[in-house]
Amino acid sequence: MTLGEWVEATTRRLNETIVTRPRTVVLVFLILTAVFVGGFGLISTETDATDSFTSDLPEQEALDAINDEFKDPFEPDTESTQIIHTGDNVLTKEALLHNLRVIERVEKRDDLRMESANGPAPVVARTIDPSATTAAEQRRVIERSTPAEIRRTVRGLEDETRFTGTLSEDFNPTTASASASVTVISHDVPNGFSSADLTDVQTDIQVIADDEPGDIRAFGSGITNAEMGNVIVDSLTIVMPVVVLLLLGFLIVAYRDPIDLVLGLLALLMTIVWTFGFLGYSGIAFSQQMISVPVLLLAVGVDFGIHIINRYREETVRGFEPTEAMRTANNQLMIAFVIVTVTTVFGFGANVISDLTPIRNIGIASSIGIVFTFLIFGLFLPAAKLEVDDLRARFDVPEFNSKPIASEDSALGRALAFPAVVSRYAPLVFVLALLLSGGAAAAYGAGVDTSFETKDFLPPEEQPDYLAGLPEPFAPGEYTVTETINLLEDKFATNQDQSVKLYVEGSFEEDHALEALAAPNDDPPDTLSVAPGGEAQPRSILTVIQSHAERDPEFAALVARNDRDGNGIPDRNLDRIYDELFDSSSGAQAERYLTEDRRSAQVEYAIEADASQDVAAADTREFAEDFRYTATATGSIVVFDAVTDLIFTSAIQGLILAVGLTGVFLVIAYGVLEHKPMLGVVNVFPILIAIAYLIGTMRYLGMSLNALTATILSISIGLGIAYSVHTTHRFIDEYNTGANAHEAMVITLSGTGGALLGSMLTTSLGTGALALAITPVLGDFGLLMALSVLYSFVMAVIALPPAVLLWARYDEAQPFSGIVSR
């Protein structure tokens, strides 16, 4: 027995079990469904959307080392909350009092665990009265002070970084005014203090801030994580009902029978239950990106369901009894379902090779879900259909409409077969034209951008009108993080997004250490902010030494005595210089740039405002190579750029792997089953053209490859190849019965084409419903999925017929082709 004969025999035995013992099959699947329901209680959610992408990156590990090893005098070591105050002038007496009242109320509550507060209001109060250590004492100091006294104090703090660093860029010491300020509240938290606990603390502080007059808001990682968690719930609440309604509407049109409709919906529900149960049992967290998985599975499930019911109806219309009709339909479709399942798993599963954990998890979950979809729709649904039809006959329940979607004589059938009729006259011309247009689209799409931003995972600052008008319980919650991030970027000069860091490792007590740290600054890259003379302006242990020397003559003399070449950089007795510096008033500042053991240092560089992320990150990495010691480029810009590079790499590797595995499998499958291996190549042709058009469309619409759309290329292979496979499989059935290639393709498109059209409409609109999600990353993915499915269907109808006709010329020219094929 050949491999092909064994495969056919195995599928026939499986199909025979389905049609002869349908009740047993149904019971087994219902029991398994109950088992998977048990996994629901184990499902966890992932709210730190960006952290899951950056873990294990060398750039992130370097940034973590900086955060662990260096102390920032303006940032607490413990958890913290930012109090952001905006207005015409946040330095007036009234504005400072508003700020201090918020801090005072936080301080009075033990459950909010306030340890200290650093910001303009506390600094001004302590400058006027150094004995005012509590928020209540500081409030009373400001209340007793006159506006003129407060203005004089503000002017006197002009050179104090601890004060000016908390104010917006428009701070004017002359008028003692600024439009925004940040006060950092540090929390004294115990071991085991979780992110959920921090979220509770920060949301309570937000309530306190809301009670105070003026625009005062709380901000921090707890609030951000809470909003990201709410995004998952709100997106599912908005998207899934729309998906279900759209699918329901099209299933009503496709099935046109309420009992068949209920069966189809039951199978879809079981698919979702099995997949979510698997997530619970496997420990894979449900992230924002995972929202796409149930939508994809529903799309594939609808495709399988329409094909099995439609093919069954074609046989019953010919007069076959239900059992024989299902046997014939399932015998023809089982191989196609297996091929579609394997190729879809290849497409979805290609993402498991990604170095990014969230993308890898999407690949795992969607691949397992596709296998579940095949089992439920390939085995359970036919068995359930036979059982239901038996009960329908036994109780004399009428059939409402059991005709297939389209036939050769229908207007829809003739329209779908039109490309096959036209392309028979010059198939080579059609194929060449498609290759040229696809190549042009791919070349244009090669310039598509790649991005990774926190804002991708958060709702935009201004929500669309359709979301604002949604009634409860579908109305989304209030989201403020994006607006706050935009405010911080607009108002403040120094933040993580405008600087890069170097994590430098070596022995910094060696005489040449500081010279080596300063040498590269003479020729910095263009993206780094430079002084008028062209040299870089870093912040490092050397700048702390020089700054302290300007204020302390005795320390300046020590530095000068140990500066052999007189360039302002000490080059001997560095251990003594460090000891004196760390014991001075600048010790806290020094701890920010040099570790206690003198083995690690960090250097910070501001970047030009107009520098792009990719150029700034590339320049910083190249600049790090100029250092004598081992230097690692890091900072949020560098980390996010590293993720961006991995996103692009994942997209390309996933596409290549999906196309390669799919092509090889189809060549082997058609070679083994039909002795027609070249049909595997023909199958891949339409989907490649569709992918080329999709990439071109992405660039035309200004969309980028991001944390979720990076999966679109390989997923499009998995979803789109189904249209070609179903069409080719039906074509082979007709071709092997004696019809010539043209006749077989016309019959195929007029029959199967109707099911494909119904599947395309439900799938594209179902996945397109993700465009209604409240975050950009899901919205873009939904729109691209809808376009991908549309392009795949169109190419299966337009590109596949001429390719198949060319293949038929090759096949018929082979010796003994008629004997082997038919």
Side-chain angles (χ1 to χ4, degrees), residues 232 235-236 239-240 243 272 275-276 286-299 348 351 358 361-363 365-366 707-709 711-712 715 719 766-767 770 773 777-779 781-782 785:
I232 296 176
S235 292
L236 284 172
V239 170
M240 293 311 295
V243 172
I272 300 302
T275 304
F276 274 78
F286 190 85
S287 63
Q288 189 178 144
Q289 296 91 329
M290 281 285 185
I291 295 175
S292 64
V293 172
V295 176
L296 292 172
L297 298 182
L298 290 175
F348 289 12
N351 291 300
N361 285 343
I362 289 177
S366 56
L708 185 54
T709 57
T711 65
I712 193 71
I715 286 178
L719 273 184
T767 55
L770 281 170
V777 68
L778 284 171
F781 181 81
M785 276 309 311

mmCIF file of all heavy atoms in Angstrom, residues 232 235-236 239-240 243 272 275-276 286-299 348 351 358 361-363 365-366 707-709 711-712 715 719 766-767 770 773 777-779 781-782 785:
data_model
loop_
_atom_site.group_PDB
_atom_site.id
_atom_site.type_symbol
_atom_site.label_atom_id
_atom_site.label_comp_id
_atom_site.label_asym_id
_atom_site.label_seq_id
_atom_site.Cartn_x
_atom_site.Cartn_y
_atom_site.Cartn_z
ATOM 1 N N ILE A 232 -8.296 45.181 27.567
ATOM 2 C CA ILE A 232 -8.625 43.811 27.162
ATOM 3 C C ILE A 232 -10.117 43.560 27.326
ATOM 4 O O ILE A 232 -10.789 43.076 26.410
ATOM 5 C CB ILE A 232 -7.810 42.800 27.982
ATOM 6 C CG1 ILE A 232 -6.315 42.957 27.686
ATOM 7 C CG2 ILE A 232 -8.271 41.373 27.698
ATOM 8 C CD1 ILE A 232 -5.424 42.065 28.520
ATOM 9 N N SER A 235 -12.212 45.920 24.951
ATOM 10 C CA SER A 235 -12.108 45.518 23.547
ATOM 11 C C SER A 235 -12.925 44.265 23.278
ATOM 12 O O SER A 235 -13.633 44.167 22.263
ATOM 13 C CB SER A 235 -10.644 45.285 23.168
ATOM 14 O OG SER A 235 -9.921 46.494 23.177
ATOM 15 N N LEU A 236 -12.842 43.278 24.175
ATOM 16 C CA LEU A 236 -13.646 42.064 24.014
ATOM 17 C C LEU A 236 -15.137 42.393 24.078
ATOM 18 O O LEU A 236 -15.936 41.844 23.306
ATOM 19 C CB LEU A 236 -13.288 41.050 25.097
ATOM 20 C CG LEU A 236 -11.973 40.282 24.919
ATOM 21 C CD1 LEU A 236 -11.661 39.457 26.165
ATOM 22 C CD2 LEU A 236 -12.029 39.387 23.690
ATOM 23 N N VAL A 239 -15.846 44.226 20.645
ATOM 24 C CA VAL A 239 -15.574 43.482 19.409
ATOM 25 C C VAL A 239 -16.390 42.197 19.307
ATOM 26 O O VAL A 239 -17.003 41.927 18.269
ATOM 27 C CB VAL A 239 -14.068 43.174 19.305
ATOM 28 C CG1 VAL A 239 -13.811 42.197 18.164
ATOM 29 C CG2 VAL A 239 -13.284 44.450 19.080
ATOM 30 N N MET A 240 -16.400 41.391 20.368
ATOM 31 C CA MET A 240 -17.006 40.061 20.255
ATOM 32 C C MET A 240 -18.498 40.107 19.928
ATOM 33 O O MET A 240 -18.961 39.316 19.097
ATOM 34 C CB MET A 240 -16.752 39.257 21.532
ATOM 35 C CG MET A 240 -15.276 38.894 21.748
ATOM 36 S SD MET A 240 -14.480 38.161 20.283
ATOM 37 C CE MET A 240 -15.394 36.633 20.125
ATOM 38 N N VAL A 243 -18.646 40.777 16.255
ATOM 39 C CA VAL A 243 -18.234 39.587 15.500
ATOM 40 C C VAL A 243 -19.356 38.565 15.478
ATOM 41 O O VAL A 243 -19.692 38.005 14.422
ATOM 42 C CB VAL A 243 -16.959 38.973 16.122
ATOM 43 C CG1 VAL A 243 -16.642 37.627 15.475
ATOM 44 C CG2 VAL A 243 -15.780 39.913 15.965
ATOM 45 N N ILE A 272 -14.052 27.948 20.820
ATOM 46 C CA ILE A 272 -13.570 28.983 21.736
ATOM 47 C C ILE A 272 -13.349 28.399 23.132
ATOM 48 O O ILE A 272 -12.344 28.698 23.797
ATOM 49 C CB ILE A 272 -14.559 30.161 21.790
ATOM 50 C CG1 ILE A 272 -14.723 30.786 20.397
ATOM 51 C CG2 ILE A 272 -14.098 31.204 22.796
ATOM 52 C CD1 ILE A 272 -13.438 31.284 19.793
ATOM 53 N N THR A 275 -10.165 26.321 23.204
ATOM 54 C CA THR A 275 -8.949 27.144 23.116
ATOM 55 C C THR A 275 -8.677 27.885 24.418
ATOM 56 O O THR A 275 -7.536 27.913 24.907
ATOM 57 C CB THR A 275 -9.068 28.147 21.960
ATOM 58 O OG1 THR A 275 -9.338 27.435 20.745
ATOM 59 C CG2 THR A 275 -7.788 28.937 21.793
ATOM 60 N N PHE A 276 -9.704 28.495 24.995
ATOM 61 C CA PHE A 276 -9.506 29.209 26.258
ATOM 62 C C PHE A 276 -9.175 28.232 27.385
ATOM 63 O O PHE A 276 -8.386 28.549 28.283
ATOM 64 C CB PHE A 276 -10.749 30.029 26.608
ATOM 65 C CG PHE A 276 -10.767 31.387 25.981
ATOM 66 C CD1 PHE A 276 -11.096 31.551 24.646
ATOM 67 C CD2 PHE A 276 -10.440 32.506 26.713
ATOM 68 C CE1 PHE A 276 -11.100 32.798 24.050
ATOM 69 C CE2 PHE A 276 -10.447 33.769 26.141
ATOM 70 C CZ PHE A 276 -10.772 33.911 24.801
ATOM 71 N N PHE A 286 -3.441 35.589 28.915
ATOM 72 C CA PHE A 286 -4.257 36.216 27.874
ATOM 73 C C PHE A 286 -3.883 37.690 27.821
ATOM 74 O O PHE A 286 -4.198 38.462 28.721
ATOM 75 C CB PHE A 286 -5.739 36.052 28.179
ATOM 76 C CG PHE A 286 -6.632 36.464 27.034
ATOM 77 C CD1 PHE A 286 -6.933 35.579 26.023
ATOM 78 C CD2 PHE A 286 -7.155 37.745 26.965
ATOM 79 C CE1 PHE A 286 -7.745 35.949 24.965
ATOM 80 C CE2 PHE A 286 -7.963 38.132 25.914
ATOM 81 C CZ PHE A 286 -8.260 37.225 24.913
ATOM 82 N N SER A 287 -3.210 38.085 26.753
ATOM 83 C CA SER A 287 -2.753 39.463 26.592
ATOM 84 C C SER A 287 -3.662 40.200 25.618
ATOM 85 O O SER A 287 -4.585 39.617 25.026
ATOM 86 C CB SER A 287 -1.316 39.488 26.069
ATOM 87 O OG SER A 287 -1.247 38.896 24.785
ATOM 88 N N GLN A 288 -3.371 41.483 25.450
ATOM 89 C CA GLN A 288 -4.163 42.292 24.519
ATOM 90 C C GLN A 288 -4.093 41.723 23.096
ATOM 91 O O GLN A 288 -5.086 41.693 22.380
ATOM 92 C CB GLN A 288 -3.651 43.730 24.549
ATOM 93 C CG GLN A 288 -4.523 44.704 23.797
ATOM 94 C CD GLN A 288 -4.013 46.124 23.888
ATOM 95 O OE1 GLN A 288 -4.102 46.893 22.943
ATOM 96 N NE2 GLN A 288 -3.468 46.510 25.033
ATOM 97 N N GLN A 289 -2.903 41.236 22.699
ATOM 98 C CA GLN A 289 -2.752 40.677 21.359
ATOM 99 C C GLN A 289 -3.571 39.400 21.173
ATOM 100 O O GLN A 289 -3.969 39.064 20.068
ATOM 101 C CB GLN A 289 -1.275 40.379 21.072
ATOM 102 C CG GLN A 289 -0.401 41.608 21.056
ATOM 103 C CD GLN A 289 0.193 41.904 22.418
ATOM 104 O OE1 GLN A 289 -0.396 41.624 23.447
ATOM 105 N NE2 GLN A 289 1.363 42.499 22.426
ATOM 106 N N MET A 290 -3.818 38.683 22.275
ATOM 107 C CA MET A 290 -4.549 37.420 22.207
ATOM 108 C C MET A 290 -6.014 37.606 21.804
ATOM 109 O O MET A 290 -6.691 36.634 21.453
ATOM 110 C CB MET A 290 -4.488 36.717 23.567
ATOM 111 C CG MET A 290 -3.187 35.998 23.845
ATOM 112 S SD MET A 290 -3.048 34.460 22.924
ATOM 113 C CE MET A 290 -1.515 33.840 23.615
ATOM 114 N N ILE A 291 -6.505 38.839 21.874
ATOM 115 C CA ILE A 291 -7.893 39.081 21.469
ATOM 116 C C ILE A 291 -8.098 38.663 20.025
ATOM 117 O O ILE A 291 -9.197 38.273 19.612
ATOM 118 C CB ILE A 291 -8.246 40.571 21.668
ATOM 119 C CG1 ILE A 291 -8.202 40.927 23.165
ATOM 120 C CG2 ILE A 291 -9.613 40.907 21.098
ATOM 121 C CD1 ILE A 291 -8.414 42.395 23.458
ATOM 122 N N SER A 292 -7.020 38.718 19.224
ATOM 123 C CA SER A 292 -7.137 38.341 17.817
ATOM 124 C C SER A 292 -7.354 36.845 17.628
ATOM 125 O O SER A 292 -7.902 36.420 16.607
ATOM 126 C CB SER A 292 -5.882 38.774 17.053
ATOM 127 O OG SER A 292 -4.736 38.091 17.539
ATOM 128 N N VAL A 293 -6.927 36.019 18.598
ATOM 129 C CA VAL A 293 -6.968 34.565 18.417
ATOM 130 C C VAL A 293 -8.401 34.039 18.286
ATOM 131 O O VAL A 293 -8.703 33.311 17.331
ATOM 132 C CB VAL A 293 -6.204 33.858 19.557
ATOM 133 C CG1 VAL A 293 -6.409 32.342 19.474
ATOM 134 C CG2 VAL A 293 -4.723 34.193 19.476
ATOM 135 N N PRO A 294 -9.326 34.335 19.233
ATOM 136 C CA PRO A 294 -10.686 33.820 19.047
ATOM 137 C C PRO A 294 -11.342 34.315 17.768
ATOM 138 O O PRO A 294 -12.116 33.579 17.148
ATOM 139 C CB PRO A 294 -11.435 34.324 20.291
ATOM 140 C CG PRO A 294 -10.618 35.429 20.841
ATOM 141 C CD PRO A 294 -9.212 35.096 20.496
ATOM 142 N N VAL A 295 -11.023 35.542 17.364
ATOM 143 C CA VAL A 295 -11.594 36.059 16.111
ATOM 144 C C VAL A 295 -11.089 35.243 14.924
ATOM 145 O O VAL A 295 -11.857 34.883 14.020
ATOM 146 C CB VAL A 295 -11.248 37.554 15.943
ATOM 147 C CG1 VAL A 295 -11.757 38.066 14.594
ATOM 148 C CG2 VAL A 295 -11.850 38.369 17.073
ATOM 149 N N LEU A 296 -9.789 34.932 14.894
ATOM 150 C CA LEU A 296 -9.224 34.121 13.812
ATOM 151 C C LEU A 296 -9.845 32.727 13.790
ATOM 152 O O LEU A 296 -10.157 32.190 12.717
ATOM 153 C CB LEU A 296 -7.713 34.018 13.977
ATOM 154 C CG LEU A 296 -6.902 35.294 13.760
ATOM 155 C CD1 LEU A 296 -5.451 35.063 14.147
ATOM 156 C CD2 LEU A 296 -6.985 35.751 12.313
ATOM 157 N N LEU A 297 -10.005 32.133 14.959
ATOM 158 C CA LEU A 297 -10.564 30.781 15.022
ATOM 159 C C LEU A 297 -12.027 30.760 14.577
ATOM 160 O O LEU A 297 -12.466 29.819 13.909
ATOM 161 C CB LEU A 297 -10.438 30.233 16.444
ATOM 162 C CG LEU A 297 -9.004 30.087 16.970
ATOM 163 C CD1 LEU A 297 -9.010 29.487 18.364
ATOM 164 C CD2 LEU A 297 -8.171 29.238 16.029
ATOM 165 N N LEU A 298 -12.765 31.789 14.955
ATOM 166 C CA LEU A 298 -14.146 31.881 14.478
ATOM 167 C C LEU A 298 -14.185 31.972 12.959
ATOM 168 O O LEU A 298 -15.038 31.366 12.307
ATOM 169 C CB LEU A 298 -14.836 33.097 15.100
ATOM 170 C CG LEU A 298 -15.148 33.021 16.599
ATOM 171 C CD1 LEU A 298 -15.726 34.343 17.094
ATOM 172 C CD2 LEU A 298 -16.115 31.892 16.893
ATOM 173 N N ALA A 299 -13.238 32.725 12.401
ATOM 174 C CA ALA A 299 -13.182 32.882 10.948
ATOM 175 C C ALA A 299 -12.928 31.550 10.261
ATOM 176 O O ALA A 299 -13.612 31.179 9.286
ATOM 177 C CB ALA A 299 -12.098 33.892 10.579
ATOM 178 N N PHE A 348 0.013 30.062 11.046
ATOM 179 C CA PHE A 348 -0.120 30.625 12.384
ATOM 180 C C PHE A 348 1.084 30.254 13.248
ATOM 181 O O PHE A 348 1.621 31.072 13.989
ATOM 182 C CB PHE A 348 -1.394 30.115 13.057
ATOM 183 C CG PHE A 348 -2.663 30.683 12.476
ATOM 184 C CD1 PHE A 348 -2.660 31.395 11.286
ATOM 185 C CD2 PHE A 348 -3.873 30.491 13.109
ATOM 186 C CE1 PHE A 348 -3.832 31.917 10.750
ATOM 187 C CE2 PHE A 348 -5.052 31.004 12.591
ATOM 188 C CZ PHE A 348 -5.029 31.715 11.402
ATOM 189 N N ASN A 351 4.887 31.795 13.777
ATOM 190 C CA ASN A 351 5.238 32.836 14.750
ATOM 191 C C ASN A 351 5.907 32.285 16.001
ATOM 192 O O ASN A 351 6.415 33.058 16.820
ATOM 193 C CB ASN A 351 3.980 33.619 15.143
ATOM 194 C CG ASN A 351 3.446 34.461 13.996
ATOM 195 O OD1 ASN A 351 4.126 35.327 13.481
ATOM 196 N ND2 ASN A 351 2.220 34.184 13.582
ATOM 197 N N PRO A 358 5.302 37.473 23.399
ATOM 198 C CA PRO A 358 3.887 37.621 23.045
ATOM 199 C C PRO A 358 3.562 37.108 21.643
ATOM 200 O O PRO A 358 2.523 36.474 21.435
ATOM 201 C CB PRO A 358 3.658 39.140 23.145
ATOM 202 C CG PRO A 358 4.696 39.615 24.091
ATOM 203 C CD PRO A 358 5.894 38.770 23.813
ATOM 204 N N ASN A 361 3.608 33.353 21.771
ATOM 205 C CA ASN A 361 2.400 32.815 22.410
ATOM 206 C C ASN A 361 1.201 32.846 21.475
ATOM 207 O O ASN A 361 0.356 31.950 21.505
ATOM 208 C CB ASN A 361 2.093 33.602 23.683
ATOM 209 C CG ASN A 361 3.039 33.256 24.821
ATOM 210 O OD1 ASN A 361 3.721 32.236 24.787
ATOM 211 N ND2 ASN A 361 3.082 34.105 25.828
ATOM 212 N N ILE A 362 1.104 33.897 20.653
ATOM 213 C CA ILE A 362 0.027 33.952 19.665
ATOM 214 C C ILE A 362 0.154 32.770 18.705
ATOM 215 O O ILE A 362 -0.840 32.126 18.349
ATOM 216 C CB ILE A 362 0.066 35.282 18.892
ATOM 217 C CG1 ILE A 362 -0.369 36.439 19.779
ATOM 218 C CG2 ILE A 362 -0.840 35.222 17.659
ATOM 219 C CD1 ILE A 362 -0.293 37.791 19.114
ATOM 220 N N GLY A 363 1.386 32.465 18.274
ATOM 221 C CA GLY A 363 1.604 31.338 17.381
ATOM 222 C C GLY A 363 1.181 30.024 18.009
ATOM 223 O O GLY A 363 0.524 29.182 17.353
ATOM 224 N N ALA A 365 -0.983 29.529 20.658
ATOM 225 C CA ALA A 365 -2.423 29.483 20.930
ATOM 226 C C ALA A 365 -3.235 29.321 19.658
ATOM 227 O O ALA A 365 -4.186 28.518 19.604
ATOM 228 C CB ALA A 365 -2.845 30.758 21.666
ATOM 229 N N SER A 366 -2.889 30.070 18.610
ATOM 230 C CA SER A 366 -3.670 29.987 17.369
ATOM 231 C C SER A 366 -3.460 28.644 16.672
ATOM 232 O O SER A 366 -4.407 28.098 16.085
ATOM 233 C CB SER A 366 -3.303 31.141 16.433
ATOM 234 O OG SER A 366 -1.916 31.153 16.163
ATOM 235 N N ALA A 707 3.565 45.367 17.100
ATOM 236 C CA ALA A 707 3.567 44.210 17.979
ATOM 237 C C ALA A 707 2.571 43.135 17.566
ATOM 238 O O ALA A 707 2.745 41.962 17.913
ATOM 239 C CB ALA A 707 3.257 44.657 19.407
ATOM 240 N N LEU A 708 1.534 43.479 16.829
ATOM 241 C CA LEU A 708 0.545 42.496 16.398
ATOM 242 C C LEU A 708 0.523 42.326 14.885
ATOM 243 O O LEU A 708 0.437 41.198 14.379
ATOM 244 C CB LEU A 708 -0.851 42.893 16.902
ATOM 245 C CG LEU A 708 -1.986 41.890 16.637
ATOM 246 C CD1 LEU A 708 -1.613 40.508 17.185
ATOM 247 C CD2 LEU A 708 -3.276 42.368 17.272
ATOM 248 N N THR A 709 0.614 43.426 14.138
ATOM 249 C CA THR A 709 0.552 43.299 12.679
ATOM 250 C C THR A 709 1.779 42.591 12.112
ATOM 251 O O THR A 709 1.774 42.181 10.951
ATOM 252 C CB THR A 709 0.410 44.677 12.006
ATOM 253 O OG1 THR A 709 1.514 45.524 12.396
ATOM 254 C CG2 THR A 709 -0.888 45.350 12.413
ATOM 255 N N THR A 711 2.547 39.745 12.802
ATOM 256 C CA THR A 711 2.110 38.362 12.571
ATOM 257 C C THR A 711 1.240 38.233 11.332
ATOM 258 O O THR A 711 0.908 37.117 10.926
ATOM 259 C CB THR A 711 1.314 37.847 13.779
ATOM 260 O OG1 THR A 711 0.092 38.611 13.908
ATOM 261 C CG2 THR A 711 2.114 38.003 15.066
ATOM 262 N N ILE A 712 0.863 39.360 10.735
ATOM 263 C CA ILE A 712 -0.145 39.339 9.677
ATOM 264 C C ILE A 712 0.316 38.573 8.441
ATOM 265 O O ILE A 712 -0.480 37.914 7.770
ATOM 266 C CB ILE A 712 -0.558 40.783 9.298
ATOM 267 C CG1 ILE A 712 -1.834 40.800 8.441
ATOM 268 C CG2 ILE A 712 0.555 41.489 8.535
ATOM 269 C CD1 ILE A 712 -3.054 40.444 9.200
ATOM 270 N N ILE A 715 0.202 34.767 9.186
ATOM 271 C CA ILE A 715 -1.196 34.406 9.434
ATOM 272 C C ILE A 715 -2.006 34.481 8.144
ATOM 273 O O ILE A 715 -2.905 33.665 7.906
ATOM 274 C CB ILE A 715 -1.799 35.320 10.519
ATOM 275 C CG1 ILE A 715 -1.254 34.919 11.892
ATOM 276 C CG2 ILE A 715 -3.323 35.258 10.523
ATOM 277 C CD1 ILE A 715 -1.741 35.774 13.033
ATOM 278 N N LEU A 719 -4.471 31.642 6.736
ATOM 279 C CA LEU A 719 -5.893 31.840 6.416
ATOM 280 C C LEU A 719 -6.154 31.784 4.918
ATOM 281 O O LEU A 719 -7.103 31.138 4.454
ATOM 282 C CB LEU A 719 -6.364 33.192 6.953
ATOM 283 C CG LEU A 719 -6.871 33.268 8.387
ATOM 284 C CD1 LEU A 719 -7.366 34.674 8.679
ATOM 285 C CD2 LEU A 719 -7.985 32.268 8.635
ATOM 286 N N GLY A 766 -15.847 39.467 10.017
ATOM 287 C CA GLY A 766 -15.622 39.048 11.397
ATOM 288 C C GLY A 766 -14.286 39.534 11.926
ATOM 289 O O GLY A 766 -14.207 40.135 12.997
ATOM 290 N N THR A 767 -13.219 39.293 11.164
ATOM 291 C CA THR A 767 -11.899 39.767 11.600
ATOM 292 C C THR A 767 -11.813 41.288 11.504
ATOM 293 O O THR A 767 -11.143 41.930 12.306
ATOM 294 C CB THR A 767 -10.784 39.141 10.754
ATOM 295 O OG1 THR A 767 -11.037 39.409 9.365
ATOM 296 C CG2 THR A 767 -10.717 37.637 10.964
ATOM 297 N N LEU A 770 -12.374 43.741 14.434
ATOM 298 C CA LEU A 770 -11.319 44.169 15.348
ATOM 299 C C LEU A 770 -10.943 45.631 15.133
ATOM 300 O O LEU A 770 -10.348 46.254 16.016
ATOM 301 C CB LEU A 770 -10.070 43.292 15.151
ATOM 302 C CG LEU A 770 -10.100 41.905 15.808
ATOM 303 C CD1 LEU A 770 -8.917 41.078 15.332
ATOM 304 C CD2 LEU A 770 -10.096 42.021 17.324
ATOM 305 N N ALA A 773 -11.927 47.907 17.814
ATOM 306 C CA ALA A 773 -11.277 47.856 19.126
ATOM 307 C C ALA A 773 -10.749 49.239 19.501
ATOM 308 O O ALA A 773 -10.503 50.086 18.635
ATOM 309 C CB ALA A 773 -10.146 46.838 19.120
ATOM 310 N N VAL A 777 -3.308 49.014 17.932
ATOM 311 C CA VAL A 777 -2.677 47.762 17.538
ATOM 312 C C VAL A 777 -3.719 46.738 17.097
ATOM 313 O O VAL A 777 -3.512 45.992 16.136
ATOM 314 C CB VAL A 777 -1.800 47.223 18.699
ATOM 315 C CG1 VAL A 777 -2.629 46.787 19.875
ATOM 316 C CG2 VAL A 777 -0.919 46.081 18.224
ATOM 317 N N LEU A 778 -4.851 46.685 17.781
ATOM 318 C CA LEU A 778 -5.916 45.750 17.402
ATOM 319 C C LEU A 778 -6.698 46.254 16.194
ATOM 320 O O LEU A 778 -7.095 45.468 15.326
ATOM 321 C CB LEU A 778 -6.868 45.533 18.582
ATOM 322 C CG LEU A 778 -6.355 44.623 19.698
ATOM 323 C CD1 LEU A 778 -7.305 44.672 20.891
ATOM 324 C CD2 LEU A 778 -6.222 43.195 19.203
ATOM 325 N N GLY A 779 -6.919 47.563 16.139
ATOM 326 C CA GLY A 779 -7.659 48.126 15.013
ATOM 327 C C GLY A 779 -6.950 47.894 13.689
ATOM 328 O O GLY A 779 -7.565 47.471 12.699
ATOM 329 N N PHE A 781 -4.730 45.610 13.024
ATOM 330 C CA PHE A 781 -4.698 44.176 12.736
ATOM 331 C C PHE A 781 -6.023 43.718 12.136
ATOM 332 O O PHE A 781 -6.052 42.934 11.176
ATOM 333 C CB PHE A 781 -4.396 43.396 14.015
ATOM 334 C CG PHE A 781 -4.317 41.907 13.814
ATOM 335 C CD1 PHE A 781 -3.155 41.324 13.329
ATOM 336 C CD2 PHE A 781 -5.390 41.083 14.117
ATOM 337 C CE1 PHE A 781 -3.073 39.953 13.141
ATOM 338 C CE2 PHE A 781 -5.323 39.725 13.933
ATOM 339 C CZ PHE A 781 -4.159 39.151 13.446
ATOM 340 N N GLY A 782 -7.129 44.188 12.697
ATOM 341 C CA GLY A 782 -8.435 43.789 12.185
ATOM 342 C C GLY A 782 -8.647 44.214 10.747
ATOM 343 O O GLY A 782 -9.123 43.427 9.913
ATOM 344 N N MET A 785 -6.436 42.094 8.482
ATOM 345 C CA MET A 785 -6.946 40.729 8.341
ATOM 346 C C MET A 785 -8.105 40.684 7.355
ATOM 347 O O MET A 785 -8.205 39.776 6.526
ATOM 348 C CB MET A 785 -7.404 40.194 9.695
ATOM 349 C CG MET A 785 -6.306 39.604 10.558
ATOM 350 S SD MET A 785 -5.268 38.387 9.723
ATOM 351 C CE MET A 785 -6.471 37.323 8.993
#
